[in-house]
Amino acid sequence: AELPSLPLPLLLSDAPGLLLYRPRRLREKLDALRDLLPAADLLRLVRRAPDMLSRDMAKLEDRLAALGGLEGADAPTLAAEHPRLLREDAAMLRERVAVLRRAFSPTLLRRVPRDRLALLLTFPPDRLSRLEYLSAVYPGVR
């Protein structure tokens, strides 16, 4: 199968390690990304984050599973729109997700715009825990 048209100069400047892959291996990586993020615009994702092609797909899957702990959030769409989340440590993502789940109800989490949710998922857990405190002090917010 032929590789889709990719902006090679941009990809190689951001992820020079891609030069080491054969076209067949790149196709396998693209297929694996498509399996992980089925609704994603794959070319857009690769243009925004070419390093995703050089990452270990098992680790990406683990990070995606950590994001899946957010009830009501569409983890694949969130990850496709904010690929930086797939660079985070899976254990750290799980910890952040746990804090958000304790701080907010599933109903409220579903109403949080994905951009804001992605931003919250990059905050250190000790800062996120302040949200837990606020939800305990102001239970109507939860």
Side-chain angles (χ1 to χ4, degrees), residues 6-19 21 25-26 29-30 33 36-37 42-60 63 79-80 82-88:
L6 297 171
L8 289 177
L10 174 69
L11 293 179
L12 295 176
S13 69
D14 289 344
L18 293 177
L19 275 173
Y21 293 126
R25 182 68 179 136
L26 277 177
K29 291 275 196 172
L30 284 167
L33 268 178
L36 283 175
L37 308 169
L42 214 50
L43 292 181
R44 182 170 180 241
L45 173 68
V46 170
R47 282 186 193 113
R48 289 177 63 202
D51 61 307
M52 290 300 127
L53 289 173
S54 59
R55 300 225 174 233
D56 179 332
M57 291 298 149
K59 288 183 180 180
L60 291 181
R63 293 168 184 152
H82 303 280
R84 72 179 182 270
L85 294 173
L86 294 175
R87 294 181 185 112
E88 300 284 336

Side-chain angles (χ1 to χ4, degrees), residues 5-137:
S5 176
L6 297 171
L8 289 177
L10 174 69
L11 293 179
L12 295 176
S13 69
D14 289 344
L18 293 177
L19 275 173
L20 301 174
Y21 293 126
R22 296 181 187 273
R24 181 173 157 191
R25 182 68 179 136
L26 277 177
R27 166 54 68 195
E28 291 169 358
K29 291 275 196 172
L30 284 167
D31 289 344
L33 268 178
R34 181 170 285 119
D35 290 344
L36 283 175
L37 308 169
D41 178 345
L42 214 50
L43 292 181
R44 182 170 180 241
L45 173 68
V46 170
R47 282 186 193 113
R48 289 177 63 202
D51 61 307
M52 290 300 127
L53 289 173
S54 59
R55 300 225 174 233
D56 179 332
M57 291 298 149
K59 288 183 180 180
L60 291 181
E61 188 173 0
D62 192 31
R63 293 168 184 152
L64 191 60
L67 292 174
L70 278 173
E71 189 177 320
D74 180 2
T77 300
L78 182 66
E81 291 176 0
H82 303 280
R84 72 179 182 270
L85 294 173
L86 294 175
R87 294 181 185 112
E88 300 284 336
D89 177 68
M92 187 64 70
L93 281 174
R94 278 191 212 41
E95 188 176 346
R96 292 170 181 156
V97 164
V99 171
L100 290 175
R101 289 183 66 181
R102 288 189 303 268
F104 300 114
S105 69
T107 303
L108 187 58
L109 272 175
R110 276 192 285 281
R111 293 193 320 224
V112 175
R114 281 194 296 266
D115 288 346
R116 294 231 174 106
L117 190 55
L119 182 61
L120 286 171
L121 287 165
T122 63
F123 285 4
D126 62 327
R127 290 210 179 146
L128 282 177
S129 65
R130 295 174 189 173
L131 295 173
E132 273 185 281
Y133 170 77
L134 288 173
S135 71
V137 172

